[in-house]
Amino acid sequence: MNHPAASVSGSLNTMLCLRGQAVVRGYAIGRAVVMGAAALEVVHYRIQPEDVEAECQRLKEALLQAQGELQYMIDHLPDDAPREMGPLLTVHCMLMADRMLSDQACLLIAERLYNAEWALTTQGQTLAEQFAGMEDEYLRERGADIRQVIERVLRVLSGRPVVLPDFESAQAGELIVVARDISPADMLRLRGAHFGAFLTDLGGPTSHTAIVARSMNVPAVVGMGNIRSLVRDGDLLIVDGMTGAVLVNPPAFVLEQYRRRQEAYADDRAALALLRDAEAVTLDGVRIMLEANIELPEEAVQALAAGADGIGLFRSEFLFMGRESLPDEEEQYEAYATVVRTMQGRPVTIRTLDIGSDKTLDGDTTVATNPALGLRAIRYCLANPDLFRTQLRALLRASAHGRVRILVPMISHMHEVHAVKRALDHARKELDERGQPYAEHVEIGAMVEIPAIAIAIEPFVEQLDFLSIGTNDLIQYTLAIDRADNAVADLYDPMHPAVLRLISHTINAADRAGKSVAVCGEMAGDSQVTRMLLGLGLKEFSMHPQQLLDIKKEVRQSHTNALRVKVASALNRAERIDLSALAAG
Ligand code: PEP
Ligand code: MG
């Protein structure tokens, strides 16, 4: 094989540097184990017309056997298997049982006289292309499930055992799995071994490799294009899970540099883990609330494990997306109550449906001229009162189990606040009629993510129990920068004085009224701006659970009084704040 890294003798000139998308952070140094891909080595030939029936039978039996193997894995999942594994394997089982696969492949055998492998890969390709054409990123990536299912059936058809990495031959150091893609079933088989990292040709941030690697906390770089053809078994690899770089057969001095980085990173993580039960208190004694953002009820466990003071943002729309029918009141109630119970008395802030713009319901074909400025979030809910009240009833019922706070997105007008309160009263009456319990007082808050409400915040503070600043949208609307448009990404500036003034104004107004105010946009989880937010007077941060300990570390090394003075003077001069000047505060 022509192999660019084969002649590497440890010089910088010959070192191969590949790049992909880093989806799980961390560093790994180790030997490559390259996994085979049955689909690439498939045999194509035409059968005789009299053999059609037998060939179809061969295919159906292989499908049944592969299904049986998966079912066995589902039934015997080890206790320590990542929790995503069961559902992922079940999806593969369902795809194998789907008649779209077997019937169409048999048709190809009958009509074109393809052998079973050829028919299977052709039909698999058709289905994968249908997925690839879908708008939703999650569904697009499900094309990978089809490919993995086909691979498994091909292995059965070939009569060859599953090609697993040869762990024994891997030399000293950690094993780095290099694969075209890694199916959940592969992940399960690989589980017992000790891995340094996962590298795949295919995949994106929501691919299975990413999901499972994240839950195993193993660095992963995906979407590498053709790494399988560039790396051989036993090659020495450095994986930089911060930047997505993969160095093949690096020279000694590069290796040494990365070993030092790896050690420093491991020391950092170990030191951070010790902060799990430490209080988030600044050097001058201010207690800061650090809460978690979640998208699915199961993630509350992760929030609790990270030591979160509560859930600062549960993006409820994820319960509604990627499905044909909407969740009914019962399903929503179960989801909200699960989070409330998991958090054991800590506050749980649940945002009402924030649908529209980049988050759409399946089957919604509305074409708005500018969806980010259209019928989004609370506007959508008020236009669909039955759907909104169903959610409010579910939220109120969940409040019987703990401290639920209802957060309303995209508020810009006072009449919207009044309409939400009326809808809540209506929902309470409906529950009274049914005799169903709910908490006497449930706090109602608004997302501050449209400049209008931040500028004229005072009357809103009076009407509401709390505020949560959604900096992701606040920045987009203040600077007129589409947050999803790469062409203007360099103008999306969280440090713009106008943005900081809006945040400052909101925090001060809430403070004066004695109401709580959080930041739940990405800024809250960025340790580089923690001091700046503390300097603006922020005492409540909500972020992805994985970022919580980094922020806690910053908080514990900061002095809010000193920061407030520095930030206030910069804001008064409308300067762009120099973050390095805050480092000592
Ligand atoms: C925000 O806008 O900052 C926010 C937290 O909400 P989302 O990212 O879901 O729009
Ligand atoms: Mg938002």
Side-chain angles (χ1 to χ4, degrees), residues 313 315 317 351 354 359 376 447 449 469-473 483 520-521:
L313 173 65
R315 292 179 160 102
E317 55 275 12
R351 182 169 74 184
D354 182 7
K359 293 181 275 195
R376 239 195 102 170
M447 295 278 295
E449 51 188 345
I469 308 177
T471 46
N472 305 342
D473 277 316
R483 67 195 249 198
C520 65

Side-chain angles (χ1 to χ4, degrees), residues 4 17 37 63 112 152 178 186 193 209 221 241 248 324 343 367 432 517 527:
C17 180
L63 277 164
R112 300 193 198 168
R152 175 161 275 279
V178 178
D186 292 332
T209 312
V221 182
V248 186
E324 277 174 17
M343 294 311 290
V367 185
D432 288 343
V517 54
S527 56

Side-chain angles (χ1 to χ4, degrees), residues 37-206:
L40 301 180
E41 292 122 32
V42 70
V43 281
H44 294 64
Y45 58 88
R46 283 189 204 276
I47 58 165
Q48 297 301 318
E50 60 270 26
D51 294 333
V52 164
E53 205 170 312
E55 196 65 3
C56 283
Q57 192 54 26
R58 191 164 80 86
L59 175 64
K60 284 180 183 161
E61 279 170 15
L63 277 164
L64 275 179
Q65 186 182 328
Q67 234 175 297
E69 286 174 7
L70 282 183
Q71 193 56 52
Y72 182 86
M73 285 187 182
I74 296 170
D75 295 341
H76 296 84
L77 270 181
D79 293 341
D80 60 343
R83 65 194 155 81
E84 294 85 353
M85 203 59 93
L88 296 181
L89 290 172
T90 306
V91 168
H92 282 201
C93 236
M94 283 160 55
L95 286 170
M96 274 181 198
D98 196 323
R99 302 198 61 157
M100 281 293 282
L101 189 59
S102 56
D103 287 3
Q104 292 301 319
C106 279
L107 209 62
L108 289 168
I109 295 175
E111 288 180 354
R112 300 193 198 168
L113 301 176
Y114 285 180
N115 65 327
E117 288 86 346
W118 189 359
L120 187 68
T121 44
T122 307
Q123 178 55 14
Q125 186 63 28
T126 309
L127 294 176
E129 276 164 10
Q130 284 170 4
F131 274 101
M134 293 187 179
E135 256 184 38
D136 183 280
E137 187 189 355
Y138 179 81
L139 288 178
R140 248 194 337 265
E141 286 195 358
R142 298 292 68 80
D145 292 84
I146 298 282
R147 275 189 300 274
Q148 291 167 359
V149 162
I150 302 288
E151 287 255 333
R152 175 161 275 279
V153 184
L154 286 173
R155 284 173 194 164
V156 174
L157 280 170
S158 75
R160 274 180 275 139
V162 167
V163 191
L164 266 186
D166 179 4
F167 300 122
E168 297 308 316
S169 73
Q171 295 155 36
E174 291 187 296
L175 299 173
I176 294 177
V177 176
V178 178
R180 184 156 174 264
D181 201 359
I182 304 176
S183 71
D186 292 332
M187 280 283 195
L188 203 56
R189 269 197 320 277
L190 297 172
R191 197 180 47 94
H194 177 56
F195 295 118
F198 295 115
L199 307 175
T200 57
D201 286 343
L202 306 177
T206 57

